[in-house]
Amino acid sequence: MDTKELLKKVRKIEIKTRRLSDHIFGGEYHSTFKGRGMTFSEVRQYQFGDDVRAIDWNVTARYNEPFVKVFEEERELTMMLMVDVSGSELFGTANQFKKEIITEISATLAFSALQNNDKVGVILFSDEVELFIPPKKGKSHVLRIIRELLEFTPKSSRTNIAEALKFLTNVMKKKAIVFVLSDFIADEYNNTLRIVGNKHDVTGIRVYDEREESIPNLGMVQMQDAETGTLQLVNTQSKKVRNAYGQFHKEKVDYFMDSFTKSGCGVINCRVDESYVRKLLGYFKRRG
C-alpha cells in the first residue's frame, strides 16, 4: 500500500469512527469506565439547589456568605487495545474481512478514549507480541494506531492469546481498560486471563464470520488453514464432516465465553455482517 492510498484509508476510517465516538460512544464510554474518584477543584458561591453538605464552612465564615466545594472526576484512565493480527483475521465471506471490522472497532474505541482525554496504547499479537505502542494521549497518536492496524504485516500467522496477556501484565503496572479483539479460535489462555482480570478491566470482543459457524453442502471443496497454510480437500456433502466443523467452532466459542465470564471479564460477540455499533452501545449501556 503506497503512502497516498494509506493516508486515504486512514482518513476514511477516521471520519467514520470519529463521528461514531463523538455522537454515540463518547458519553457512554465516560459513564461506563469511571475515574478513580472525585478530587477537589475549587470553591464557588452557593446557588439555589446546591447540596448543603458541600458547603465549605471556613470560606463561608470568612466571607459571611455561603460557599460550596466543587469536585471533579479524577480520570487519567488508560485504554489498551490488544489486537489479534494472526492469519485467521484475513477471512470474510460477507462484505468485509474480520480484520477490517476489528480495525473499525479499535478506532472507535480509541477516539472515545481521546474524547475523554484518556491514554490509548496497542498490543498487536499473533503467537508472539508483534508490536507494542505505549499509551499516550492525542489525535496524532490515535491516527498512528490506525495506520499500524491498516498497514502492519505480522511475522507469524498463528495465535497465542496467553502470550499476549502475559506481555500485558509485564508492561502495564497500573490498572487499565483492556479490550482484546480477536476471533478467539484459540485455547489455553483461561489461567492467564484470570490473573489479568484480577488487575485490569478486561473485555473480549469476538469478531467472527457466519461461515465459521457452519459450512453449506458444496461437495468437494479445497480449504486452507489460514494460520498454518495447510491445504486440505474437504467433502462438505458429508453430514459427519459438517457436524465436526460446527462442533469445533462451538467448542472455541464455549471456551471463550467460559474463560471470560469466570474471570469477571466482559464479552461482546460480533459477527462480521452485524452492526458493531449496536453491539458496543448495548454493552456500554448494560455496564453503565
Side-chain angles (χ1 to χ4, degrees):
M1 193 187 301
D2 61 37
T3 305
K4 189 176 180 181
E5 187 185 351
L6 175 62
L7 291 172
K8 191 176 177 181
K9 283 198 170 188
V10 171
R11 181 63 180 155
K12 186 178 177 182
I13 286 182
E14 181 195 359
I15 291 168
K16 181 177 181 179
T17 58
R18 186 75 183 262
R19 188 171 65 244
L20 288 172
S21 61
D22 285 352
H23 293 98
I24 303 174
F25 295 115
E28 295 295 341
Y29 167 87
H30 185 100
S31 60
T32 301
F33 302 106
K34 303 291 186 185
R36 291 173 293 185
M38 304 300 286
T39 183
F40 173 74
S41 174
E42 60 181 351
V43 292
R44 61 164 172 77
Q45 285 181 301
Y46 177 87
Q47 296 173 0
F48 179 76
D50 284 340
D51 190 340
V52 293
R53 291 173 296 183
I55 291 176
D56 186 321
W57 294 105
N58 290 330
V59 178
T60 297
R62 192 180 309 145
Y63 290 97
N64 204 28
E65 61 176 306
F67 278 79
V68 293
K69 294 178 181 177
V70 178
F71 295 87
E72 59 184 25
E73 185 182 2
E74 186 183 5
R75 285 191 64 85
E76 191 61 35
L77 299 179
T78 298
M79 176 194 288
M80 284 302 301
L81 299 170
M82 298 183 63
V83 180
D84 182 354
V85 292
S86 63
S88 62
E89 305 309 329
L90 291 170
F91 178 78
T93 57
N95 293 328
Q96 289 179 292
F97 290 143
K98 289 183 282 183
K99 178 186 175 181
E100 293 172 310
I101 297 296
I102 285 173
T103 298
E104 287 191 19
I105 294 173
S106 299
T108 302
L109 292 170
F111 278 122
S112 296
L114 174 66
Q115 191 180 345
N116 285 278
N117 202 33
D118 293 339
K119 295 179 182 177
V120 189
V122 169
I123 296 171
L124 303 184
F125 69 92
S126 53
D127 60 350
E128 60 183 285
V129 172
E130 300 268 0
L131 178 69
F132 171 53
I133 303 177
K136 278 177 63 178
K137 296 180 181 181
K139 181 182 173 182
S140 61
H141 179 67
V142 171
L143 292 177
R144 184 211 163 179
I145 288 171
I146 296 172
R147 283 199 305 273
E148 293 291 358
L149 289 168
L150 285 169
E151 191 183 37
F152 188 81
T153 303
K155 290 179 283 185
S156 173
S157 59
R158 296 175 181 266
T159 311
N160 189 326
I161 294 171
E163 196 64 33
L165 291 169
K166 286 174 189 173
F167 181 84
L168 176 76
T169 58
N170 290 331
V171 296
M172 296 302 297
K173 301 304 179 186
K174 292 183 179 179
K175 183 176 180 179
I177 300 162
V178 180
F179 289 97
V180 187
L181 297 102
S182 172
D183 53 19
F184 291 94
I185 304 176
D187 47 29
E188 296 184 2
Y189 56 80
N190 60 338
N191 291 331
T192 315
L193 180 63
R194 197 173 296 118
I195 295 167
V196 174
N198 284 333
K199 183 177 181 181
H200 302 288
D201 187 335
V202 183
T203 301
I205 303 180
R206 186 176 73 91
V207 177
Y208 66 101
D209 189 278
E210 63 176 332
R211 282 290 158 253
E212 290 170 326
E213 297 178 290
S214 63
I215 48 174
N217 183 349
L218 299 171
M220 296 297 288
V221 178
Q222 190 176 56
M223 293 187 174
Q224 182 178 34
D225 188 314
E227 300 204 355
T228 65
T230 306
L231 287 167
Q232 188 174 352
L233 205 59
V234 179
N235 181 15
T236 62
Q237 283 182 313
S238 168
K239 191 174 181 180
K240 186 178 178 181
V241 168
R242 295 199 305 272
N243 288 343
Y245 183 93
Q247 182 61 30
F248 173 81
H249 178 266
K250 184 180 181 302
E251 286 172 3
K252 298 302 179 190
V253 176
D254 289 346
Y255 185 85
F256 161 71
M257 294 296 292
D258 193 56
S259 298
F260 272 78
T261 52
K262 284 186 177 177
S263 300
C265 304
V267 292
I268 301 173
N269 290 287
C270 184
R271 209 168 68 188
V272 170
D273 58 335
E274 293 178 324
S275 167
Y276 66 81
V277 174
R278 193 175 295 118
K279 295 281 184 174
L280 285 176
L281 197 55
Y283 177 71
F284 284 171
K285 284 184 179 295
R286 285 194 303 276
R287 283 203 45 171

